[in-house]
Amino acid sequence: MLKQYRNRILITSIVILLPVLIGLINWNVLPLNMPTHFGFDGEANGWSNKYFAVFGIPCFVLVMHIICVFATLFDPKKQEINDKLLSLLFWICPATSWFCAALIYSSALGIAIDEMIVVDLFMAAFCIGIGNYLPKCRQNYTVGVKLPWTLADAENWNKTNRLAGWLFVADGFLWLISVFTGYVAVPLAGIFLAAVISTVYSLVIYLRKK
């Protein structure tokens, strides 16, 4: 199984670590303390030493990537995960690594970009991507609205993940709108509401059947 995905794991892992190369190239001009946390206004409000910012964050993302990939590939129902969704899962952590690098290095080097626009676009792409493929994903233990009653009932799973997909796509468009409005609280609340509504919906289906 791992042999089949070996090249994909290797390539995505290298992409995750590439921001380290950017840090090494700019090592002498990077400050000793670099911004690693940003508020809703796009302003840095948390700093870490240069070693953690350059090496620690990409390595942490790499560990998360390996855990997520192995959890997915060893899922007993992995074959039920849509191939395109599986590819999307492989590239979430590499995209996250570069997303973090864009925010950290641009702020540390004084490059003028609007950090919140980067956040909004990243979240929009994430929500729309996930939302587009959730309805196509069959029962599994890794991806989707995984609840006892959805895992026990294929119809409940399909209906719940179809609704969750639409809700996540809608929230993705809210993130796009926030690029122009700056109100990130609305799409943030949208993610929470999407999870709550999907859970309640699946529970209602379960109780009606019971």
Side-chain angles (χ1 to χ4, degrees), residues 7 55 68 79 121 178:
N7 290 339
F55 300 104
C68 292
Q79 68 277 6
L121 293 177
S178 69

mmCIF file of all heavy atoms in Angstrom, residues 7 55 68 79 121 178:
data_model
loop_
_atom_site.group_PDB
_atom_site.id
_atom_site.type_symbol
_atom_site.label_atom_id
_atom_site.label_comp_id
_atom_site.label_asym_id
_atom_site.label_seq_id
_atom_site.Cartn_x
_atom_site.Cartn_y
_atom_site.Cartn_z
ATOM 1 N N ASN A 7 5.998 7.854 -3.913
ATOM 2 C CA ASN A 7 6.449 9.058 -4.607
ATOM 3 C C ASN A 7 5.627 10.275 -4.205
ATOM 4 O O ASN A 7 6.163 11.375 -4.039
ATOM 5 C CB ASN A 7 6.375 8.845 -6.123
ATOM 6 C CG ASN A 7 7.411 7.858 -6.621
ATOM 7 O OD1 ASN A 7 8.425 7.617 -5.959
ATOM 8 N ND2 ASN A 7 7.162 7.264 -7.780
ATOM 9 N N PHE A 55 12.853 26.463 10.956
ATOM 10 C CA PHE A 55 12.933 24.999 10.958
ATOM 11 C C PHE A 55 11.745 24.328 11.662
ATOM 12 O O PHE A 55 11.231 23.307 11.194
ATOM 13 C CB PHE A 55 14.228 24.539 11.641
ATOM 14 C CG PHE A 55 15.478 25.046 10.981
ATOM 15 C CD1 PHE A 55 16.208 26.078 11.546
ATOM 16 C CD2 PHE A 55 15.926 24.491 9.788
ATOM 17 C CE1 PHE A 55 17.364 26.549 10.943
ATOM 18 C CE2 PHE A 55 17.083 24.954 9.173
ATOM 19 C CZ PHE A 55 17.807 25.993 9.754
ATOM 20 N N CYS A 68 -1.386 12.304 9.208
ATOM 21 C CA CYS A 68 -2.640 12.325 8.445
ATOM 22 C C CYS A 68 -2.605 11.352 7.272
ATOM 23 O O CYS A 68 -3.583 10.638 7.017
ATOM 24 C CB CYS A 68 -2.917 13.744 7.939
ATOM 25 S SG CYS A 68 -3.294 14.938 9.238
ATOM 26 N N GLN A 79 -10.647 2.681 0.444
ATOM 27 C CA GLN A 79 -11.116 2.581 -0.941
ATOM 28 C C GLN A 79 -12.412 3.354 -1.161
ATOM 29 O O GLN A 79 -12.794 3.630 -2.309
ATOM 30 C CB GLN A 79 -11.321 1.115 -1.346
ATOM 31 C CG GLN A 79 -12.463 0.404 -0.631
ATOM 32 C CD GLN A 79 -12.077 -0.128 0.726
ATOM 33 O OE1 GLN A 79 -10.964 0.132 1.196
ATOM 34 N NE2 GLN A 79 -12.967 -0.874 1.353
ATOM 35 N N LEU A 121 -8.153 33.947 1.275
ATOM 36 C CA LEU A 121 -8.080 33.154 0.050
ATOM 37 C C LEU A 121 -7.737 31.699 0.357
ATOM 38 O O LEU A 121 -8.281 30.774 -0.271
ATOM 39 C CB LEU A 121 -7.048 33.756 -0.904
ATOM 40 C CG LEU A 121 -7.404 35.131 -1.495
ATOM 41 C CD1 LEU A 121 -6.255 35.652 -2.361
ATOM 42 C CD2 LEU A 121 -8.690 35.049 -2.316
ATOM 43 N N SER A 178 -15.194 38.090 2.481
ATOM 44 C CA SER A 178 -14.449 38.777 3.543
ATOM 45 C C SER A 178 -13.169 39.413 3.021
ATOM 46 O O SER A 178 -12.586 40.276 3.686
ATOM 47 C CB SER A 178 -14.125 37.800 4.675
ATOM 48 O OG SER A 178 -13.176 36.835 4.270
#
